[in-house]
């Protein structure tokens, strides 16, 4: 297997694939023969409104992630990404969001999704609630009141911050058991993880939310089979396929049970679109590739590229839908950078960067699974892990043979001995592993937390012109509501006024849920 470096011929083939769809479907209807088209070099026709809106978020996707997913796609499955094809297509609008929150230049997912979902900046860890506890109306509720159907699809718990930002309202994003109740009757299609927030035997209050959703007319699905093999896709659908988050794609790909029981993001997106599409007044669907963010927090290069490809497959499903449903606006973006992975120049004249990168294809497990396997070696009597054992586990699961000293360093952490790590963000197992594996796969990381970068945004379909420049995150709400003929304006709080609430918010377990 070789990386097809700068493979522009392949890109053009991909571009044609998308463009063909655009010309016959989206383009034909959306851009058609309008006189305005002649004066718009990108082919954008301003002023049209979409019937349907699909808003897709690869959570925590630093710009290095799609840059790496493209050659990785060629490497492991012989094709590139929709992200690159869209980016290279002049008819697609390309812009950025400034995602700062009310409390920090660096947002968390709760404040990020709330900014899109309510048009107001809130403190990190809050979902559509201002610092003085004023509750905001999320865009999902507004869309629903306007007669549109609403869907949320994610690879995290369905009650996690990004989906919740479109349809829930809680001061503390950790209150996922409350978010699970708030969706009832307000969101038509819910697909993701998080059984623990719906099942009576997991909830502290003993409520059986699966039962309550069923009584409210939702079809409840708990396995991939149940989801995929129904003759008619129900109008109201709650599908929850794992106790917590859905597994990383790399772990699912290497586990027959997970492959059988858990649907992919692309499969869930297809079902959600099948369910929502018959709506006469259109729909608002948010789709999140949520574990890209988790892989970044874990400095896990193999996990991040596999999950980005899974997200990209879901983008492909949305593009396919648009061919038959041209009155659809597709926005593809992320909510913040995270640890900003990048492939470093390796070796003399960077001559070994490619072969380092190709090692990612040999990985068979996430760093989380590797850590779990190493922990198991300690056994009942908490034995030390030896350097040889660490070498064997990491060779078989990460496809990388560590140097003796590095293997010893990893092994020592299981006995509580840590090296003097100068970057404090990396003073933990994943930070250490990320750096040590980076010596072999070439991928470096800034830390293990979110970053303040402006985030890239792609948009195609009626209304795409709203997403063609650098915008403030809250502008997304103004644009999306405007495109849905919704006039609601939520209250806002200035950064100056918010300052008086900052200290109190910090005391309220401020960072506990900011993962
Ligand atoms: Zn996020």
């Amino acid at each position: 297997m070789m990386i097809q470096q700068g493979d522009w011929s392949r890109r053009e083939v991909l571009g044609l694939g998308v463009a063909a769809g655009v010309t016959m479907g989206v383009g034909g209807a959306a851009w058609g023969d309008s006189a305005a088209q002649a004066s718009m070099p990108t082919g954008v026709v301003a002023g049209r409104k979409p019937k349907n809106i699909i808003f897709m978020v690869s959570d925590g996707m630093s710009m290095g992630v799609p840059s790496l997913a493209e050659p990785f796609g060629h490497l492991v499955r012989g094709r590139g990404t929709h992200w690159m094809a869209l980016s290279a297509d002049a008819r697609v609008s390309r812009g950025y969001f400034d995602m700062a929150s009310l409390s920090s230049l660096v947002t968390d997912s709760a404040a990020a999704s709330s900014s899109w979902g309510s048009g107001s900046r809130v403190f990190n860890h809050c979902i559509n609630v201002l610092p003085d506890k004023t509750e905001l109306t999320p865009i999902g509720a507004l869309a629903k009141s306007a007669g549109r159907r609403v869907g949320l699809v994610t690879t995290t718990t369905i009650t996690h911050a990004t989906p919740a930002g479109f349809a829930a309202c809680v001061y503390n994003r950790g209150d996922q058991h409350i978010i699970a109740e708030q969706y009832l009757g307000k969101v038509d299609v819910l697909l993701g993880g998080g059984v623990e927030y719906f099942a009576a035997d997991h909830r502290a209050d003993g409520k059986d939310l699966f039962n309550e959703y069923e009584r409210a007319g939702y079809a409840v699905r708990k396995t991939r089979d149940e989801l995929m093999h129904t003759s008619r896709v129900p109008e109201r659908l709650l599908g929850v396929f794992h106790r917590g988050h859905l597994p990383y794609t790399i772990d699912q790909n290497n586990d027959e049970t997970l492959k059988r029981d858990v649907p992919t993001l692309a499969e869930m997106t297809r079902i959600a679109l099948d369910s929502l599409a018959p709506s006469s007044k259109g729909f608002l669907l948010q789709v999140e590739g949520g574990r890209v963010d988790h892989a970044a927090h874990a400095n896990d290069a193999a996990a991040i590229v596999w999950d980005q490809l899974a997200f990209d497959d879901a983008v492909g499903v949305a593009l396919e839908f648009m061919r038959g449903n041209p009155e659809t606006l597709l926005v593809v973006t992320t909510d913040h950078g995270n640890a900003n992975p990048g492939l470093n120049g390796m070796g003399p004249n960077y001559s070994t960067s490619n072969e380092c990168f190709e090692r990612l294809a040999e990985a068979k497990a996430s760093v989380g699974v590797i850590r779990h396997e190493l922990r198991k070696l300690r056994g009942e009597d908490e034995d030390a892990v030896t350097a040889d054992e660490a070498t064997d586990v990491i060779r078989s699961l990460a496809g990388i043979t560590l140097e003796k000293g590095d293997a010893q360093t990893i092994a020592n952490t299981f006995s509580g001995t840590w090296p003097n790590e100068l970057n404090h963000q990396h003073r933990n197992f994943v930070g250490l592993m990320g750096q040590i594996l980076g010596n072999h796969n070439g991928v470096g990381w800034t830390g293990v937390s979110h970053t303040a970068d402006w985030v890239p945004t792609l948009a195609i379909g009626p209304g795409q012109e709203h997403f063609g420049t650098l915008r403030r995150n809250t502008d997304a709400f103004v644009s999306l509501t405007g495109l849905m003929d919704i006039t609601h304006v939520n209250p806002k709080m200035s950064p100056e006024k918010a300052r008086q609430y900052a200290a109190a918010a910090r005391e309220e377990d401020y960072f506990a849920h900011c993962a």
Side-chain angles (χ1 to χ4, degrees):
M1 286 186 297
M2 282 299 294
I3 302 171
Q4 312 227 344
Q5 198 174 24
D7 186 354
W8 287 90
S9 61
R10 177 65 189 165
R11 191 272 302 169
E12 278 164 16
V13 171
L14 275 169
L16 278 175
V18 174
V22 165
T23 307
M24 293 182 293
V26 178
W31 298 322
D33 52 6
S34 162
Q37 190 168 1
S39 61
M40 304 278 287
T42 59
V44 175
V45 177
R48 288 184 58 103
K49 291 185 174 174
K51 179 183 174 195
N52 311 308
I53 297 175
I54 307 173
F55 195 91
M56 303 189 71
V57 183
S58 176
D59 199 295
M61 187 206 76
S62 311
M63 201 56 230
V65 177
S67 311
L68 294 178
E70 173 68 24
F72 192 71
H74 283 290
L75 184 63
V76 297
R77 49 191 208 178
R79 64 179 195 274
T81 60
H82 296 292
W83 184 284
M84 181 167 172
L86 288 170
S87 299
D89 190 324
R91 289 163 298 179
V92 176
S93 294
R94 290 173 298 277
Y96 297 90
F97 282 123
D98 164 7
M99 294 303 300
S101 74
L102 192 52
S103 51
S104 176
L105 284 170
V106 181
T107 191
D108 78 334
S109 299
S113 189
S114 296
S115 70
W116 298 325
S118 71
S120 301
R121 285 184 172 171
V122 299
F123 278 178
N124 287 355
H125 99 140
C126 297
I127 292 171
N128 296 321
V129 180
L130 292 179
D132 62 0
K133 312 278 168 96
T134 300
E135 297 187 348
L136 310 170
T137 308
I139 193 166
L142 296 169
K144 187 87 178 146
S145 304
R148 282 184 161 76
R149 302 186 65 230
V150 178
L152 299 172
V153 175
T154 181
T155 49
T156 64
T157 57
I158 190 63
T159 47
H160 214 239
T162 301
F166 271 32
C169 192
V170 290
Y171 185 73
N172 182 349
R173 61 179 282 180
D175 290 339
Q176 296 190 57
H177 59 294
I178 296 172
I179 295 167
E181 295 186 77
Q182 289 186 354
Y183 290 156
L184 181 60
K186 296 189 185 134
V187 184
D188 301 290
V189 176
L190 293 153
L191 298 172
V195 168
E196 60 188 312
Y197 303 110
F198 292 87
D201 52 344
H202 288 293
R203 288 178 59 96
D205 59 11
K207 280 188 196 168
D208 184 347
L209 289 196
F210 286 125
N211 197 350
E212 290 187 21
Y213 273 78
E214 262 176 346
R215 284 210 311 263
Y218 286 77
V220 172
R221 303 283 185 260
K222 294 179 185 170
T223 66
R224 180 180 178 278
D225 256 5
E226 289 175 10
L227 180 71
M228 304 301 291
H229 300 133
T230 36
S231 52
R232 195 181 60 84
V233 179
E235 278 191 19
R236 280 188 154 185
L237 178 58
L238 170 66
V240 189
F241 307 102
H242 216 246
R243 178 177 170 162
H245 303 312
L246 301 190
Y248 284 117
T249 300
I250 189 173
D251 293 331
Q252 183 169 9
N253 285 350
N254 289 284
D255 185 312
E256 291 307 316
T257 308
L258 291 176
K259 272 201 278 197
R260 190 192 63 219
D261 290 347
V262 180
T264 64
L265 187 61
E267 288 169 340
M268 293 190 294
T269 302
R270 161 59 56 213
I271 296 287
L273 289 169
D274 285 349
S275 171
L276 295 169
S279 168
S280 61
K281 290 191 172 175
F283 62 79
L284 171 65
L285 170 66
Q286 187 210 76
V287 177
E288 183 202 25
R291 306 226 64 196
V292 169
D293 179 64
H294 298 167
H297 280 299
N299 283 192
D300 189 340
I304 211 168
V305 285
W306 276 112
D307 264 81
Q308 180 66 18
L309 290 183
F311 174 78
D312 203 76
D313 289 343
V315 173
V317 169
L319 289 169
E320 180 66 36
F321 175 81
M322 290 177 74
R323 283 177 199 133
N325 300 271
E327 293 174 320
T328 303
L329 168 65
L330 172 66
V331 180
V332 190
T333 188
T334 178
D335 56 343
H336 48 78
N338 186 340
N340 293 25
L343 179 63
N344 290 316
M346 303 290 281
N349 296 318
Y350 308 155
S351 56
T352 60
S353 288
N354 291 23
E355 75 186 65
C356 287
F357 181 71
E358 286 173 24
R359 293 195 177 115
L360 288 180
E362 305 303 316
K364 294 182 180 64
S366 66
V367 166
V369 166
I370 291 171
R371 184 184 201 181
H372 180 73
E373 291 301 315
L374 288 169
R375 270 211 188 111
K376 281 202 303 200
L377 291 172
R378 298 184 66 189
E380 299 274 296
D381 44 1
E382 309 250 306
D383 289 338
V385 175
T386 68
D388 285 347
E389 287 172 333
T391 302
D392 287 348
V393 168
I394 291 167
R395 186 190 290 126
S396 72
L397 295 180
I400 280 170
T401 303
L402 297 187
E403 290 168 17
K404 183 92 179 164
D406 289 343
Q408 190 65 57
T409 299
I410 295 290
N412 288 348
T413 65
F414 290 89
S415 322
T417 306
W418 295 84
N420 181 31
E421 173 54 66
L422 298 179
N423 179 335
H424 296 194
Q425 286 229 356
H426 286 134
R427 282 185 182 172
N428 47 65
F429 182 79
V430 294
L432 208 57
M433 276 289 282
Q435 290 179 87
I436 289 175
L437 294 179
N439 294 328
H440 301 264
N441 61 34
V443 177
W445 308 81
T446 59
V448 293
S449 64
H450 296 183
T451 57
D453 299 10
W454 295 333
V455 300
T457 303
L458 305 168
I460 184 167
Q464 68 176 75
E465 68 275 12
H466 291 258
F467 302 91
T469 57
L470 171 62
R471 309 286 308 278
R472 188 183 150 101
N473 47 6
T474 52
D475 291 344
F477 176 85
V478 178
S479 293
L480 293 176
T481 52
L483 289 169
M484 292 190 286
D485 291 321
I486 293 165
T487 53
H488 182 87
V489 179
N490 276 309
K492 292 173 178 52
M493 185 177 284
S494 70
E496 293 71 32
K497 186 168 184 211
R499 227 168 266 147
Q500 65 183 281
Y501 298 95
R506 237 172 252 128
E507 273 165 30
E508 292 182 52
D509 203 10
Y510 192 71
F511 291 106
H513 303 289
C514 291

